[in-house]
Amino acid sequence: KAPDRNDSLLRQKVQALRYRNGQRGNYASRKHYFSEWISDNVAQGLMTDVTESCAGAVHVKKKINFMSTHPQSYTQLSASSELVEQIRKVEERLSASDMCYVPCDRIADNFQNLKAGDIIAFVTSIHGLDIQHVGMVWWPDTKTGSPRLLHASSAKGRVMISPNSIADYASKAKNCVGIKVVRL
């Protein structure tokens, strides 16, 4: 049987999105932190981070170190101090950069800037972590409705569309301080 070209193309695209610089290597070569996923994919020209152009966007410094300070939570890290050290270096690089996000109380001010299919990353107040949840803008009727979130709900155990706006979702999400907006 001949190889499926679509399968090969899909693997290439997933690898470009999931691995640092599109190169698959060991566990530490994966983009585990979503802020790195965004910045690396922006650098590859695969998407645009539009957060900075949103009204009320703020820049903060945040120490990213959740994985290296909780290696027991990751099977691969608990078995390898070398991988922990590689992850720690990635975390140091991420911690050196500012994080830009739209605070929860300013999200609704930016509804007009959102487009169906935009990726919404929920920035967290959890120490050492950058993003706590991700979904996509679902906006079936831009004239009468507000943008909602298409996401995989761990609480509901399925992919769903939020019943309320993205602003409402963010304001009710525990530990959420705001959102990043990324466009393919």
Side-chain angles (χ1 to χ4, degrees):
K1 181 178 175 183
D4 183 344
R5 290 191 59 199
N6 290 328
D7 180 58
S8 177
L9 182 60
L10 177 62
R11 286 177 195 262
Q12 289 172 6
K13 295 299 181 189
V14 169
Q15 183 171 314
L17 288 170
R18 190 68 182 115
Y19 292 91
R20 197 168 298 109
N21 301 315
Q23 299 300 310
R24 197 169 88 193
N26 65 17
Y27 184 74
S29 71
R30 285 180 50 197
K31 302 172 204 172
H32 295 283
Y33 289 100
F34 204 75
S35 56
E36 181 184 25
W37 185 87
I38 293 169
S39 63
D40 188 69
N41 288 318
V42 166
Q44 290 186 67
L46 301 173
M47 57 191 61
T48 304
D49 185 345
V50 297
T51 309
E52 202 163 317
S53 66
C54 293
V58 297
H59 288 265
V60 297
K61 284 275 192 198
K62 182 159 186 175
K63 185 163 182 70
I64 306 296
N65 64 0
F66 192 87
M67 290 180 72
S68 67
T69 58
H70 298 83
Q72 69 282 1
S73 299
Y74 305 89
T75 303
Q76 294 84 344
L77 296 182
S78 64
S80 172
S81 60
E82 182 181 322
L83 286 177
V84 172
E85 185 54 34
Q86 290 174 22
I87 292 290
R88 188 182 335 274
K89 288 178 182 174
V90 170
E91 292 169 337
E92 287 173 3
R93 183 174 44 79
L94 293 173
S95 297
S97 299
D98 283 356
M99 176 183 283
C100 180
Y101 71 93
V102 178
C104 288
D105 64 350
R106 296 299 307 269
I107 295 170
D109 298 341
N110 288 282
F111 282 172
Q112 75 280 359
N113 297 328
L114 301 179
K115 293 184 178 181
D118 282 351
I119 297 169
I120 302 296
F122 293 86
V123 178
T124 186
S125 62
I126 296 172
H127 180 73
L129 202 54
D130 56 351
I131 305 296
Q132 68 184 35
H133 191 58
V134 176
M136 296 177 78
V137 172
W138 179 264
W139 205 341
D141 186 352
T142 58
K143 290 186 170 104
T144 61
S146 58
R148 294 185 291 160
L149 186 70
L150 172 64
H151 66 117
S153 169
S154 55
K156 301 282 185 185
R158 62 184 170 88
V159 173
M160 61 176 290
I161 298 168
S162 64
N164 300 317
S165 75
I166 291 171
D168 290 337
Y169 182 93
S171 68
K172 292 175 183 160
K174 185 179 177 183
N175 301 313
C176 180
V177 296
I179 63 170
K180 291 185 73 56
V181 182
V182 184
R183 188 164 294 146
L184 293 171

